[in-house]
Amino acid sequence: MSRSASSAPALHRRPAVRALRSLLSGLLVALCTLLAISPPVHAEDFDYRLQPRELAPGAWVVVGLKEDFSFANGGNIVNTGFIVGSEGVIVIDTGSSKRYGEQMLAAIRRVTPLPIVLVVNTHHHPDHFLGNQAFPRATLAALPETIAAIRSEGEGFNANMYRLNGDWMRDTEVVVPERSLAAGRQRIGGRDVELRALGGHTVADLVVIDHDSGTVYAADLLFHDRTPTTPHADIARWLAALDTLEGLPARRWVPGHGEPATDLAPLRQTRDYLGWLAQAIRAGAESGQDMTELFQTPIPPRFAGLALVKEEFRRSVVHLFPAAERAVLEAARAKASR
C-alpha cells in the first residue's frame, strides 16, 4: 500500500476532528456562561418572602402564587392565615414545607409576641399541613376525617412534594394533628370564632369564621381567579357547601388560592366553574366519549382568566371521568334489566 493511499483517510478526518473540537469548545463556553448566570441555590436562598396582610383588625392572610408546585416557587401556592386575639393566635394552615412553616411563624412573630393557641389544618392536602413541624404539637388540630386522611396519605403526599419542589422540602416530615375539632362557636385566644365542618373539595373541609371581623377563611372550598383542583372532589357536595357559605354573615372572604375579596366573587366563580365542569364530564360520559376526546372540550371564554384552567380541566377529567362513566354504564344496565 502506497504512503499517499495510507494517509488519505487521515487527511479526510482532519476537518471532522477540527469541527468536533470547535463544537466541544463552544459547548464548554456555553456551560461556563450558564453556570456564571445561574449559580446554585444555597440554603439561605430558600426564602418564601411571606408578607402577611391585615384584612381587618386581627385578621391576617398570607397570599400564595396562582401557580403549580415547582422548583421555582417551592410550593408557595397556598393562602394561609392567622387571627390575633387578645390572648393568643389562631393559625389557619401551615403551608407546604417545614421551611414554609418556620417562615410563617417568623412572620407571625413580626406581628405579635402572643402565644400560638390553635393551629388548624383545614383539610389534608399537602400545601395545607406540611408546615406543621414549625408549630407546637399540642396546638395542631383538625377534623377527625382530616386527621385520618393525613395519617393514611401524608407520607405519599410528602414524597411527591419532594419530587415537585426539590430542596425547598428538605427535612420536612409529616406531623399528624392530635387534637380533633368539632363544629361550633367559641372564644379562642380572646376571639369570637366559629368552626364549620363542610366537605366537597375533600372528605372534610373546615371553614374558620372570625366573627369579630366578619372574615371567613374558607380554604379550598373557594378559589379566586385560579381554577379549582379536584383530586378528592365530590362536586355535588362541594356545591352544597357553597350554598351554606353564601348564607354566612361575612364581610370578607379568604379563598384557599387567589386574592381575598369583600364580595361573593370567589364563591360565584367557584360555583360557576364547578357546575360547568360537572356538566361537561357528565355530557362526555353520556355521549360515549373517551377521556382523550373529552380533553378537547372547549373551555368557555368566561373562564379564560382563571389561572391554569387548561391544565386543571385535564386533571379533573382524569380525576372525575371514570366515576361518571361508571354511573352511565350502571344506569344503562339497570334500564336494560327492567
Side-chain angles (χ1 to χ4, degrees):
M1 184 178 293
S2 69
R3 181 180 177 86
S4 61
S6 63
S7 62
L11 292 171
H12 288 303
R13 285 197 298 269
R14 284 172 189 162
V17 171
R18 286 196 296 270
L20 179 60
R21 286 175 178 166
S22 178
L23 176 62
L24 291 174
S25 177
L27 289 173
L28 182 59
V29 170
L31 179 60
C32 291
T33 303
L34 181 62
L35 291 173
I37 64 175
S38 303
V41 177
H42 300 289
E44 62 268 22
D45 298 321
F46 292 107
D47 186 352
Y48 287 104
R49 294 176 174 81
L50 303 182
Q51 299 294 328
R53 186 193 311 171
E54 192 171 25
L55 300 176
W60 294 77
V61 65
V62 180
V63 178
L65 302 169
K66 292 183 291 187
E67 300 175 357
D68 275 330
F69 297 116
S70 72
F71 281 36
N73 62 40
N76 184 18
I77 69 167
V78 63
N79 293 349
T80 58
F82 58 98
I83 302 167
V84 181
S86 59
E87 301 168 8
V89 180
I90 303 162
V91 176
I92 300 141
D93 289 326
T94 61
S96 54
S97 68
K98 179 187 177 186
R99 294 182 196 273
Y100 185 105
E102 291 171 342
Q103 292 175 30
M104 183 183 184
L105 180 57
I108 293 171
R109 287 290 164 252
R110 294 196 296 270
V111 171
T112 177
L114 288 170
I116 307 297
V117 294
L118 179 66
V119 177
V120 173
N121 293 154
T122 59
H123 61 289
H124 78 289
H125 285 167
D127 46 332
H128 296 261
F129 76 83
L130 281 176
N132 282 359
Q133 279 169 279
F135 296 90
R137 293 202 176 203
T139 65
L140 300 175
L143 292 172
E145 300 92 337
T146 299
I147 292 173
I150 291 174
R151 185 173 287 117
S152 63
E153 300 183 59
E155 294 298 342
F157 279 141
N158 195 29
N160 194 45
M161 290 288 276
Y162 271 85
R163 288 190 290 271
L164 293 171
N165 301 313
D167 278 349
W168 289 88
M169 303 299 299
R170 185 170 295 173
D171 298 326
T172 299
E173 298 175 359
V174 175
V175 178
V176 181
E178 297 179 358
R179 290 174 57 182
S180 292
L181 293 172
R185 186 168 175 172
Q186 57 189 301
R187 292 199 70 79
I188 304 174
R191 201 80 172 185
D192 183 5
V193 173
E194 182 178 355
L195 305 178
R196 286 284 184 108
L198 298 171
H201 176 66
T202 67
V203 65
D205 297 288
L206 187 68
V207 174
V208 180
I209 307 165
D210 174 36
H211 283 286
D212 286 329
S213 68
T215 303
V216 177
Y217 294 86
D220 283 11
L221 287 173
L222 291 186
F223 286 69
H224 192 198
D225 293 335
R226 204 283 189 195
T227 312
T229 60
T230 60
H232 299 92
D234 178 333
I235 291 184
R237 190 179 177 205
W238 194 340
L239 291 171
L242 295 179
D243 291 341
T244 299
L245 290 180
E246 190 166 12
L248 295 178
R251 293 194 291 277
R252 54 193 58 80
W253 301 87
V254 179
H257 300 266
E259 280 292 320
T262 56
D263 58 20
L264 292 173
L267 194 151
R268 290 171 178 162
Q269 192 181 76
T270 303
R271 176 190 285 137
D272 187 20
Y273 178 81
L274 291 176
W276 169 78
L277 175 66
Q279 187 278 330
I281 290 176
R282 183 171 58 251
E286 290 173 348
S287 65
Q289 289 184 320
D290 62 26
M291 198 176 290
T292 304
E293 292 170 321
L294 192 53
F295 285 156
Q296 309 307 316
T297 301
I299 296 173
R302 68 184 184 275
F303 301 133
L306 299 185
L308 302 171
V309 67
K310 293 180 180 178
E311 295 86 346
E312 291 297 354
F313 173 68
R314 291 173 66 91
R315 291 172 188 146
S316 291
V317 170
V318 174
H319 300 151
L320 303 173
F321 184 70
E325 199 171 36
R326 283 195 302 272
V328 168
L329 292 173
E330 289 169 4
R333 280 196 294 267
K335 183 176 180 180
S337 64
R338 291 192 194 120

